[in-house]
Amino acid sequence: MRRAGALLVALLLPASAGAATLVLDSQDPPNVGFNDPTPVTPVTGNSGKTLGEQRINAFNAAASVWENRIASPTVIRVSGMFDAQDCEPLSGTLASASPVLVIRNFPGEVKLMAWHSWAHANAVAGEELVPADSRGHLQVTVNPDVGTSGCLTTLRWDHRVGAPFSGNDVSLFNVLMHEIGHGLGILELIDHDTGEKFNGFNDIYMHYLEDHELGRKWPALGNAQRLNSLSNNQLHWTGGTMRLHSAKLADGTHLGSGHVQMYAPNPQEGSAASHFDTELWSGLDELMEPFNGPLQDLVASHHLLQDIGWPVNHPTVRGLENVDGKDWSDIAVLRAGGQQPGHFLRVVDPRKNRLIREIELPQNIAAVDLAVVGDHKDTPASELGVLSWKAKGNATRVYIYDAMSGERVKNLGFPAGYPKSILSVPSFGASPAPEILVFGTTPAGAIKVWTKDAKSGAFVGNATFPKGMPGGFAVVPSYGGSPAPEVAVVYTNAQNGTGHLHVKDADTGANLGQWTLPTQFRPLFVCSVPSFGGSAADEVAILGLQIPLGTPELHVVDPSSGDLLLSRIFLDPFEPRGLAVLPDFGSTPAAELAILGTLTRNVRTRILVVDASSGTVLTSTALPARENALRIASVPSLGGSSADDLLVVSTAARDGKLRVYVKDGRGGQVRGLAMAEGD
């Protein structure tokens, strides 16, 4: 990573044919770099008493952020050292990194005969493919001269962790996170002078790079065309996971396709292609942008790793009835590990943290979302619907399992596309079985809601919406005349970039209303709220981001009239992670809304409970440090208070386990349930 236009160097050595653990192997000699004994004063988030200790602590904190987001059955060893880099008074290299080896032609490779970074190849193969030696799996080199005469003289290394940084601070924590990302595989391997592929073969990363000007991906381009892509400002990332989540970004996203802009400046710089464009956020920097900034997020970086096939932690939790008849009501937990082995579906008794049933899912699919389907098999338990996606053919399927026996009772196919979420509603079709609604986009970019009968598998209806970035969808009780509920979809329009709430009948697809959301608002999550606005329709709560500032906003809209009933702006920045509704326990007639977010400054999880009519924050709680919370759901009270409870599913680096936190809606923690990745 460089400062002031400087290059991040990624050099590769010759290649050889549950949660992750990253370990530092210091390559520094005694009294240097990570072993420097110079006494220092402890700083925010870093208790080290020598310079070497603080550097090691910064590395461990950076490693834990990645450990929370990727999964590997083998330890990832990072060879780290402090050594001089190219540097001048006003520009220079802060650090550099690369995989020590790249590997192709191995069991489980994501793309046949494509180069994968060593750590990535081990993760998908499930074993150490090449005996590790003293070099480790990736190499990170940090410039110790920053802030000295002749090298970025106005800057200084800052060893704090989880604190805001000024313009003259260079966060070692952020820089190490960035460099580890390159070592894990966020880089392409072409020759930047000729455009030639490394040893004549594709790498996994280039499979998702597109020259948008030509409309073709890199593997299909000639050397000269690839070389031109490095400097034409038309280089896009096309991976399906990124397309599903690119609505979170403030800018740098092609609205018609969901592709994300990569760094390809004119004239060409060495940082091109292996970094995101510098315009993804306003007020924030994406971690894998080419230049160091004071506030950094890794939303897009995480989704990029999913696209290239890294097993990732992407869990979902849902509340169930008392499946086994013991103690409390039960919960279902889905852990998605990308298109690789490692995902699971479990039914758990939350009172005693007792596993009731583990359900085997098909391998080599990406499990996207989970829904509770009302029982239609005449068994004591509900069914569970797992929405899945497979890159080959953009295949979308829903696998339905009995929650008690684990038996697969149905396998429903849906049209090709990019699925985002799933809901189940009581039957309005011909059979007594519930209906399954799948929300996503077609390969051409149109937003769709497909509806099938859970028993017969027959299509009951579908609704088509304009092209754009899908936010989310919810169902509200019918007010349009048919027996089917209404489908409320929020999205960002591809033509003008405005946010919309669009309502259609789930059965007929008839248009019941289309409302423009407040200016510069990008909707991300939506849920229905029992009506308090006076109309027959339930209200719709929408959580998203104000663009380009990146501040979270909450809006509540009456979907029958389009009336805006509430607008609430949250001034402290956090990344919205989820939205759930709780029955009213405040002093107003409106329900409460639970908002899950991650504070961008220190990666701490925040849970807000807000009154839906006034926007008043009733409770604000947090999970323990180092928890990467990803989904939230509500369940009838387990803990005994008048408020319903919240289920928050999270991953933690400290022990490699997935956790479900049960929180009382009023703020108290009922229970934390740890589940080993592979027990």
Side-chain angles (χ1 to χ4, degrees):
M1 175 181 285
R2 284 176 68 90
R3 182 73 179 208
L7 160 71
L8 186 150
V9 181
L11 299 176
L12 294 185
L13 298 180
S16 168
T21 299
L22 278 74
V23 174
L24 173 66
D25 288 341
S26 173
Q27 304 297 301
D28 288 318
N31 302 320
V32 172
F34 286 109
N35 302 317
D36 193 320
T38 303
V40 295
T41 302
V43 293
T44 302
N46 194 330
S47 61
K49 295 181 180 179
T50 69
L51 186 55
E53 287 176 355
Q54 288 198 355
R55 288 167 170 172
I56 291 171
N57 290 344
F59 171 86
N60 288 335
S64 73
V65 173
W66 283 115
E67 288 172 337
N68 259 323
R69 287 163 171 78
I70 60 174
S72 176
T74 63
V75 172
I76 300 170
R77 294 175 52 225
V78 182
S79 292
M81 64 184 302
F82 280 73
D83 198 15
Q85 307 276 283
D86 291 340
C87 206
E88 298 176 1
L90 297 180
S91 68
T93 302
L94 298 173
S96 60
S98 71
V100 171
L101 303 175
V102 289
I103 302 174
R104 62 179 177 85
N105 192 24
F106 61 90
E109 59 186 344
V110 180
K111 296 286 186 181
L112 295 178
M113 301 301 289
W115 297 116
H116 297 59
S117 72
W118 189 0
H120 182 194
N122 288 345
V124 298
E127 60 180 332
E128 185 67 68
L129 293 171
V130 179
D133 54 30
S134 60
R135 295 173 296 174
H137 299 98
L138 51 134
Q139 172 73 48
V140 174
T141 304
V142 182
N143 189 349
D145 299 330
V146 172
T148 63
S149 176
C151 180
L152 295 166
T153 55
T154 62
L155 304 180
R156 67 183 180 92
W157 282 116
D158 193 319
H159 296 86
R160 293 178 295 167
V161 175
F165 298 93
S166 73
N168 292 328
D169 294 328
V170 179
S171 166
L172 181 61
F173 167 66
N174 280 355
V175 168
L176 287 169
M177 277 199 297
H178 179 109
E179 302 305 337
I180 290 170
H182 281 305
L184 294 174
I186 302 180
L187 81 171
E188 42 69 36
L189 307 183
I190 73 161
D191 188 309
H192 280 215
D193 292 322
T194 65
E196 292 178 298
K197 300 174 183 178
F198 184 64
N199 284 2
F201 288 92
N202 297 329
D203 60 74
I204 182 63
Y205 185 91
M206 73 162 55
H207 276 276
Y208 303 96
L209 288 176
E210 178 205 58
D211 186 313
H212 196 73
E213 193 172 49
L214 299 176
R216 298 168 67 194
K217 294 182 180 179
W218 266 26
L221 299 184
N223 293 343
Q225 292 172 316
R226 271 191 299 275
L227 192 61
N228 182 65
S229 285
L230 293 172
S231 59
N232 67 359
N233 286 302
Q234 291 289 318
L235 189 60
H236 286 186
W237 186 264
T238 66
T241 304
M242 189 79 79
R243 289 178 64 173
L244 289 178
H245 296 279
S246 61
K248 293 180 181 178
L249 305 177
D251 207 345
T253 303
H254 186 257
L255 291 175
S257 64
H259 296 172
V260 171
Q261 187 87 15
M262 304 303 287
Y263 191 59
N266 190 359
Q268 185 198 134
E269 294 183 12
S271 302
S274 292
H275 296 87
F276 292 109
D277 193 74
T278 58
E279 302 299 326
L280 301 195
W281 298 99
S282 178
L284 293 174
D285 294 308
E286 171 61 36
L287 177 69
M288 298 309 295
E289 290 182 15
F291 309 118
N292 180 67
L295 291 174
Q296 297 190 316
D297 205 291
L298 46 66
V299 176
S301 305
H302 185 217
H303 297 320
L304 187 153
L305 286 182
Q306 288 178 267
D307 280 331
I308 66 174
W310 259 100
V312 299
N313 291 313
H314 187 182
T316 301
V317 63
R318 295 286 183 258
L320 283 166
E321 75 277 17
N322 193 339
V323 170
D324 61 351
K326 301 176 181 179
D327 299 314
W328 291 353
S329 296
D330 301 315
I331 61 174
V333 183
L334 174 68
R335 189 264 191 196
Q339 298 181 78
Q340 304 297 333
H343 51 212
F344 59 68
L345 175 59
R346 291 175 179 164
V347 179
V348 178
D349 183 330
R351 182 173 177 83
K352 295 184 177 179
N353 197 15
R354 183 175 61 85
L355 180 65
I356 297 172
R357 176 69 57 189
E358 177 154 0
I359 298 171
E360 183 177 355
L361 300 175
Q363 297 300 326
N364 299 316
I365 64 166
V368 177
D369 198 12
L370 175 67
V372 178
V373 183
D375 178 55
H376 59 280
K377 293 291 292 180
D378 296 324
T379 65
S382 292
E383 272 66 77
L384 296 169
V386 177
L387 177 62
S388 71
W389 178 74
K390 194 170 185 178
K392 186 176 182 180
N394 293 327
T396 299
R397 305 200 74 83
V398 174
Y399 298 93
I400 302 178
Y401 301 89
D402 183 87
M404 184 62 191
S405 68
E407 174 194 4
R408 185 197 295 180
V409 298
K410 206 68 183 179
N411 177 357
L412 305 178
F414 287 81
Y418 300 94
K420 186 174 175 63
S421 55
I422 180 175
L423 288 173
S424 174
V425 298
S427 175
F428 59 85
S431 88
E435 320 303 355
I436 303 290
L437 289 79
V438 170
F439 173 60
T441 58
T442 68
I447 298 170
K448 295 277 289 189
V449 176
W450 294 276
T451 306
K452 276 195 168 186
D453 183 89
K455 186 173 184 179
S456 68
F459 274 107
V460 178
N462 71 82
T464 303
F465 302 85
K467 287 185 178 181
M469 294 182 191
F473 86 123
V475 292
V476 296
S478 175
Y479 59 86
S482 85
E486 321 307 359
V487 178
V489 169
V490 294
Y491 60 91
T492 303
N493 188 280
Q495 299 301 316
N496 54 27
T498 57
H500 288 272
L501 167 64
H502 204 150
V503 183
K504 290 194 174 188
D505 185 278
D507 183 12
T508 65
N511 189 45
L512 301 177
Q514 182 176 356
W515 318 106
T516 300
L517 297 173
T519 304
Q520 294 184 306
F521 174 70
R522 183 161 293 171
L524 300 177
F525 300 97
V526 62
C527 69
S528 61
V529 183
S531 178
F532 62 87
S535 77
D538 279 8
E539 323 303 1
V540 174
I542 308 164
L543 177 65
L545 291 172
Q546 200 280 338
I547 304 300
L549 297 179
T551 53
E553 289 188 7
L554 174 68
H555 300 291
V556 179
V557 182
D558 185 308
S560 62
S561 65
D563 290 343
L564 186 63
L565 305 178
L566 172 71
S567 286
R568 169 67 195 265
I569 299 174
F570 302 92
L571 296 179
D572 50 336
F574 61 85
E575 179 205 339
R577 289 290 182 93
L579 179 68
V581 65
L582 294 163
D584 177 53
F585 62 84
S587 58
T588 72
E592 289 18 294
L593 294 166
I595 296 170
L596 179 67
T598 299
L599 296 170
T600 55
R601 291 175 184 264
N602 57 12
V603 202
R604 289 295 299 271
T605 295
R606 183 178 185 184
I607 305 166
L608 299 176
V609 176
V610 178
D611 181 83
S613 59
S614 67
T616 302
V617 176
L618 303 178
T619 67
S620 177
T621 58
L623 296 188
R626 308 283 180 214
E627 289 286 341
N628 180 39
L630 292 171
R631 294 289 184 95
I632 190 169
S634 62
V635 293
S637 178
L638 302 173
S641 85
S642 58
D644 277 8
D645 295 330
L646 295 168
L647 303 174
V648 180
V649 64
S650 175
T651 57
R654 62 184 179 272
D655 57 10
K657 292 183 179 179
L658 179 149
R659 282 178 171 76
V660 177
Y661 286 91
V662 184
K663 289 267 190 178
D664 184 86
R666 293 185 181 275
Q669 181 172 311
V670 179
R671 189 149 305 203
L673 313 175
M675 287 176 249
E677 292 293 332
D679 61 359

